[in-house]
Amino acid sequence: PLNPNGTVLITGGTGTLGTITAKHLTTHHNTRHLLLLSRRGPDAPDATELTKELTELGATVTLAACDLTDRADLERHLAALDHPLTAVFHLAGVTDDATIENLTPDQLHTVVATKADTAHHLHHLTRTTDLATFTHYSSLTATLGNPGQANYAAANTY
């Protein structure tokens, strides 16, 4: 079970899946401390409303912009926690679609870095942490493929 006194990290915390996950954890698992990291943090659309709603549900919300592919930036946010990290939900992901013939190295890097490099950083930064869960959301694209999303499929397969 999740420790209500611990902090739950949600990457991609202001996106659709992050919002749904944060609300679910707060209402069904008594999560009281949330660290929501995303590219835009408090500047993301609906971030203010999300923070208000989660606070009204009883959670303390830390919402921050973070370059998740930058290990030092991610580590800085984890080091600043007031309550120990007890769960990680890695939902962050980006798309930059192109057919494989037209896929550029930059497009591949951007998409893979957000999903795979962040997972790698989180693994190393939390290896000695007693986590209740270390959950990675992955797209079905990793298994079934999707036209024009070879980079996205590869990132989610990792």
Side-chain angles (χ1 to χ4, degrees):
L2 297 177
N3 178 348
N5 296 315
T7 299
V8 174
L9 165 64
I10 301 175
T11 68
T14 58
T16 301
L17 291 175
T19 297
I20 292 168
T21 301
K23 290 176 186 178
H24 175 79
L25 291 171
T26 302
T27 58
H28 290 84
H29 295 278
N30 201 30
T31 298
R32 293 296 160 243
H33 306 285
L34 293 167
L35 172 59
L36 307 180
L37 298 180
S38 66
R39 285 184 304 267
R40 292 178 280 180
D43 293 332
D46 301 322
T48 302
E49 293 81 6
L50 174 61
T51 301
K52 181 181 178 200
E53 183 176 355
L54 293 169
T55 301
E56 289 172 355
L57 291 170
T60 300
V61 179
T62 302
L63 179 59
C66 179
D67 178 354
L68 297 166
T69 66
D70 180 340
R71 180 183 168 133
D73 196 15
L74 185 55
E75 188 171 21
R76 180 175 55 83
H77 288 286
L78 295 178
L81 295 175
D82 292 331
H83 300 274
L85 184 67
T86 55
V88 173
F89 290 83
H90 177 31
L91 285 62
V94 297
T95 57
D96 192 355
D97 297 348
T99 59
I100 199 154
E101 301 85 19
N102 297 312
L103 188 63
T104 68
D106 284 342
Q107 288 174 298
L108 181 64
H109 173 74
T110 299
V111 173
V112 170
T114 302
K115 188 58 81 176
D117 290 357
T118 301
H120 182 79
H121 297 327
L122 286 168
H123 167 70
H124 286 282
L125 292 171
T126 63
R127 257 192 332 209
T128 60
T129 305
D130 186 21
L131 298 175
T133 187
F134 189 9
T135 303
H136 295 260
Y137 281 37
S138 180
S139 171
L140 193 56
T141 299
T143 303
L144 301 178
N146 204 22
Q149 290 193 319
N151 53 357
Y152 191 67
N156 280 276
T157 299
Y158 177 89

